[in-house]
């Protein structure tokens, strides 16, 4: 698949995934900002770069967003909220500790492959947020950390996981899954679900599941 076709596919996917961002011009600007930040970096991207991608003037951006930083904040907010929803749904599918860990880590890894562009922007540009916005996003990240820890604690309590350091192991598992966004490319041989299956197996091995 060529780059132009891949970009169009990604736009269509984000249009579906971010359908709750409204009105439609605001959603298109958010998607354009994701792609511009991914290509040029947050600091090198101008509002003109973003507006041009959707056929607007730079002034059109400010109808929906107060600043370039607010665009980044909204990307981080939408991305973290959606990934947290995915994590919670995965954790709720099974009470079996091994299957629950597989679901949580597998789904989270697959999410970072499927949404690798916004996930990469969030990871690289998070520190460009204003302090109040960064605090809000950090709180969402803490919820993810607590959910993974709870999954590990559940397995330890049932006697099926051997995890002497639950916080450290949780951090390691989250770091592995988040890093998928850094290297994943749609042109590679592994689909997001393949990445999820691989990382689910790795997670179970890490906790020495019995």
């Amino acid at each position: 698949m060529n780059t132009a076709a891949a970009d169009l596919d990604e736009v269509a996917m984000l249009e579906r995934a971010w359908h709750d961002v409204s009105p439609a011009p605001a959603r298109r600007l958010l998607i354009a900002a994701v792609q511009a930040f991914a290509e040029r970096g947050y600091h090198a991207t101008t509002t003109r770069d973003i507006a041009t991608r959707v056929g607007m003037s730079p002034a059109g951006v400010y109808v929906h967003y107060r600043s370039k930083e607010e665009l980044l904040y909204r990307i981080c907010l939408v991305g973290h909220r959606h990934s947290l929803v995915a994590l919670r749904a995965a954790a709720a599918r099974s009470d079996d500790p091994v299957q629950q860990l597989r679901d949580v880590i597998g789904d989270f890894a697959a999410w970072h492959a499927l949404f690798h562009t916004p996930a990469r922007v969030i990871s690289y540009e998070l520190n460009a947020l204003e302090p109040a916005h960064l605090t809000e996003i950090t709180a969402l990240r803490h919820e993810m950390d607590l959910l993974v820890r709870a999954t590990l604690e559940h397995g330890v309590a049932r006697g099926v996981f051997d995890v002497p350091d639950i916080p450290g192991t949780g951090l390691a598992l989250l770091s592995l899954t988040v890093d998928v966004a850094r290297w994943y490319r749609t042109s590679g041989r592994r689909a997001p679900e393949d990445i999820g299956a691989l990382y689910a197996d790795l997670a179970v091995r890490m906790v020495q599941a019995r």
Side-chain angles (χ1 to χ4, degrees), residues 47-179:
T47 53
R48 181 178 296 277
D49 295 329
I50 296 166
T52 299
R53 286 173 175 265
V54 291
M56 290 186 185
S57 69
V61 174
Y62 298 105
V63 173
H64 303 284
Y65 301 99
R66 289 171 297 176
S67 64
K68 185 177 72 169
E69 189 275 343
E70 189 181 4
L71 276 161
L72 177 62
Y73 162 65
R74 288 294 301 277
I75 291 165
C76 292
L77 188 63
V78 171
H80 280 85
R81 283 178 173 173
H82 283 200
S83 60
L84 186 54
V85 167
L87 267 180
R88 287 170 174 161
R93 279 204 298 270
S94 176
D95 188 54
D96 174 72
V98 174
Q99 188 59 49
Q100 188 179 69
L101 183 64
R102 283 185 175 278
D103 290 341
V104 166
I105 298 304
D107 283 19
F108 204 44
W111 188 93
H112 278 83
L114 184 62
F115 296 103
H116 59 279
T117 302
R120 193 160 62 243
V121 167
I122 291 167
S123 294
Y124 289 167
E125 310 294 357
L126 189 65
N127 288 330
L129 291 174
E130 294 176 357
H133 287 161
L134 181 58
T135 297
E136 184 176 356
I137 300 305
T138 299
L140 291 172
R141 295 168 78 90
H142 184 58
E143 286 190 53
M144 296 175 189
D145 181 46
L146 291 178
L147 189 149
V148 173
R149 288 192 196 187
T151 304
L152 295 173
E153 288 166 353
H154 179 51
V156 170
R158 289 281 190 90
V160 295
F161 293 171
D162 182 8
V163 185
D165 183 353
I166 286 176
T169 304
L171 179 61
L173 288 169
L174 281 171
S175 297
L176 280 172
T177 54
V178 168
D179 193 55

